[in-house]
Amino acid sequence: MKLKKLNIFTIPLFFVYGIGIINSQIQPGVYVTEVDNVRHELKLSDEYLIHSVYKMAPADFKETHGGFYQIKDGVLHVDLEFNSNYESDGVKKLTIPFSQQDEELILKTDPQLTFFRMESTEQDLDGAWLFATRGPDTGQERRGEENPRKTLKFLMDNRFQWIAYQTETMKFSGTGGGSYTAEDGVYTENIEYFSRDNSRVGASLEFNYEIKGDDWHHTGKNSKGEPMYEIWSMRPSKNK
């Protein structure tokens, strides 16, 4: 997909002004825009928003933030669960006026950003997952929704992102993401940004997966070549 060029760009983009003009909903999906070789990637379910910013070449992670959102009078109201810049800006909530036109989503931030929706696709493992425990499953204690320490993995439209954070203190521990495929029990991640180590960008990691009920059993070898077995649990929707 060819992206239109914008002439404006500023980091961070947390503080916004103005009011919405209409009541509207945003179609879930992955929205992107690029400004001077810096990509903004916006992943939106019907209740959760993740905005990540990174430079593609040379690789350079910039920031990410995300949380549950509601829409009222053309304004996104986001209660952040994580904010990679929290130590410097202390931001826990966002109010973002927006508008839509065809496949464009315009966030009226300062500066304004115009996003374009990527093609919608469906794969195994699409959805929001929380790390639960190390496998195999022997009835051990799990890290659930009530635990403030979370590792979230969000997969949508061939894009994945994991984020490690603490909801009570807003401590951000790291993130990474890019494209993925999940087919016939093989899950592959192609890393396009990694907050802890930009040199990891470009790597392709292959794992095995099996879905058991609401659990994703994720097995293979870690970056050190050691056996790995993780169990992720599908995150329940707040809207249900």
Side-chain angles (χ1 to χ4, degrees), residues 9-28:
F9 176 70
T10 293
I11 297 292
L13 45 88
F14 290 117
F15 298 102
V16 295
Y17 303 91
I19 59 173
I21 56 175
I22 58 173
N23 286 309
S24 63
Q25 298 299 312
I26 300 174
Q27 184 176 0

Side-chain angles (χ1 to χ4, degrees), residues 3-48:
L3 301 177
K4 295 181 180 178
K5 200 79 169 177
L6 296 178
N7 295 319
I8 48 177
F9 176 70
T10 293
I11 297 292
L13 45 88
F14 290 117
F15 298 102
V16 295
Y17 303 91
I19 59 173
I21 56 175
I22 58 173
N23 286 309
S24 63
Q25 298 299 312
I26 300 174
Q27 184 176 0
V30 178
Y31 295 78
V32 294
T33 192
E34 289 179 14
V35 184
D36 296 332
N37 199 35
V38 175
R39 170 171 284 203
H40 290 251
E41 183 172 302
L42 190 66
K43 292 181 282 291
L44 281 156
S45 71
D46 60 358
E47 64 179 5
Y48 205 86

Side-chain angles (χ1 to χ4, degrees), residues 90-159:
V91 172
K92 290 185 176 182
K93 293 181 181 291
L94 300 176
T95 54
I96 309 173
F98 72 93
S99 63
Q100 300 180 86
Q101 182 176 350
D102 299 324
E103 292 296 302
E104 296 181 358
L105 172 62
I106 302 166
L107 297 188
K108 298 179 181 180
T109 52
D110 184 15
Q112 180 170 290
L113 295 171
T114 300
F115 289 83
F116 304 88
R117 190 170 181 270
M118 297 184 70
E119 182 180 358
S120 178
T121 61
E122 292 185 5
Q123 292 193 79
D124 290 347
L125 305 179
D126 285 350
W129 303 84
L130 289 175
F131 176 79
T133 186
R134 302 287 176 184
D137 187 358
T138 58
Q140 66 268 39
E141 184 178 351
R142 290 175 167 232
R143 194 198 306 172
E145 183 71 44
E146 70 285 349
N147 194 313
R149 181 187 171 204
K150 289 179 170 62
T151 302
L152 172 68
K153 188 168 280 193
F154 196 97
L155 296 93
M156 172 183 280
D157 293 342
N158 294 338
R159 306 296 296 174

